[in-house]
Amino acid sequence: VLTVDAVFKALADQTRRQLLDSLRDTAGQTLTELESGLGMTRFGVMKHLKVLEEAKLVTSRKEGRFKYHYLNAAPIQEVADRWIAPYQKPFTRFALDLKHQLESSVPMADKPNFVLETYIRTTPRRCGMHSPGPSSRRSTITARGSTAS
Amino acid sequence: LRQGGPFRYLTGDGQVMLDGEVIEIEPMKKIVSSFIPSWAENSQPTLVTFAIEPLGEVVKFTITHHDYEKANAGIDTGWPVVVAGLKTLLETGKPLNLPTSM
């Protein structure tokens, strides 16, 4: 839980996001390199790096006099899995469903503009509206198939 | 026939003459289907409803078509031919052989 708070706090700052982007582009930068890349003071970079390191978003490796910084994207992935994906999926689903519905369904006017009524000496059952299976419906329809002119 | 399933009209040799999807179905009452004619050009899908209602010795058969002109498929002349054929078939058991010019 603490990590999640720390991640959100770390990400809630434009400069820190720039630092992450910079480390994503070029891994293993020193403080001096980050400083010049972002045009910030050494103190500013250090302050922000501390927040990022507390959130485990940045790890570092010391070698002699130098400290090399690396992006650690795992906490972001965890936050994404927990807080983004579950919300994203239903929404994406909804959007896709809506798209499908709008593209496939037929826009319907308020009133039909073609109506034809007739009276047939028969029974409802013989009209074939009781799911008769494709073959008998087909024969009903194609028996007078002269409309395909 | 089921909601969401195909509602196709096939020619004698099995070609899809008219494609559609069952939008709504009430057994023994009505079928609402989309209407996608293969023979028409510049045609948009439209909606057609077939309804039946028993009235004593007869059945009232109603076709309603929404925005039929968008189908661009000769609906206004085509459906009467279809209905005439259906009526003849159901009443006599024989197909109505109309002149091909219709």
Side-chain angles (χ1 to χ4, degrees):
Chain A
V1 178
L2 269 177
T3 313
V4 171
D5 286 351
V7 170
F8 275 118
K9 186 191 164 196
L11 291 173
D13 181 277
Q14 197 200 339
T15 307
R16 290 196 285 271
R17 291 196 298 273
Q18 279 178 342
L19 278 168
L20 291 176
D21 277 341
S22 176
L23 288 173
R24 189 165 62 95
D25 288 342
T26 312
Q29 294 184 69
T30 62
L31 194 55
T32 309
E33 284 169 330
L34 287 169
E35 197 185 308
S36 63
L38 293 173
M40 285 172 60
T41 64
R42 193 170 193 84
F43 177 75
V45 174
M46 282 172 72
K47 189 186 74 174
H48 286 303
L49 275 177
K50 186 168 176 285
V51 177
L52 290 169
E53 284 186 288
E54 280 170 1
K56 313 291 185 206
L57 290 173
V58 167
T59 57
S60 60
R61 180 175 62 86
K62 264 188 175 167
E63 205 176 286
R65 297 196 297 124
F66 295 105
K67 196 177 172 189
Y68 301 95
H69 298 86
Y70 296 85
L71 170 69
N72 176 39
I76 294 183
Q77 189 59 54
E78 282 173 35
V79 165
D81 288 348
R82 169 63 184 88
W83 287 104
I84 296 173
Y87 292 87
Q88 184 183 32
K89 275 176 190 161
F91 188 75
T92 309
R93 183 78 264 152
F94 169 76
L96 287 174
D97 286 349
L98 183 66
K99 174 182 154 66
H100 176 75
Q101 208 177 341
L102 289 174
E103 287 181 348
S104 67
S105 73
V106 181
M108 189 165 156
D110 288 338
K111 287 179 181 170
N113 52 4
F114 178 88
V115 180
L116 191 155
E117 288 175 0
T118 190
Y119 297 85
I120 306 175
R121 189 182 304 280
T122 186
T123 61
R125 186 155 292 276
R126 291 196 68 221
C127 288
M129 289 219 182
H130 57 289
S131 306
S135 57
S136 80
R137 165 148 298 273
R138 191 185 307 165
S139 67
T140 305
I141 298 297
T142 52
R144 44 71 198 141
S146 58
T147 45
S149 48
Chain B
L1 290 171
R2 56 174 181 81
Q3 193 174 335
F7 189 84
R8 294 202 173 102
Y9 300 62
L10 305 176
T11 59
D13 57 357
Q15 300 285 312
V16 176
M17 180 175 100
L18 176 60
D19 205 358
E21 181 185 320
V22 177
I23 309 288
E24 191 187 337
I25 186 163
E26 272 184 62
M28 309 300 278
K29 282 189 179 161
K30 71 171 179 177
I31 296 170
V32 183
S33 160
S34 54
F35 182 95
I36 303 164
S38 63
W39 68 87
E41 286 175 23
N42 301 318
S43 181
Q44 294 176 33
T46 50
L47 201 67
V48 64
T49 302
F50 306 95
I52 54 173
E53 183 188 343
L55 291 172
E57 285 185 14
V58 302
V59 170
K60 181 181 176 185
F61 180 77
T62 309
I63 294 178
T64 51
H65 208 125
H66 287 79
D67 298 320
Y68 77 93
E69 69 285 347
K70 287 184 186 166
N72 198 28
I75 300 298
D76 44 351
T77 54
W79 278 135
V81 176
V82 170
V83 170
L86 182 65
K87 181 170 159 67
T88 299
L89 180 72
L90 288 170
E91 289 182 341
T92 71
K94 293 175 188 165
L96 181 67
N97 291 314
L98 293 163
T100 48
S101 59
M102 286 184 76

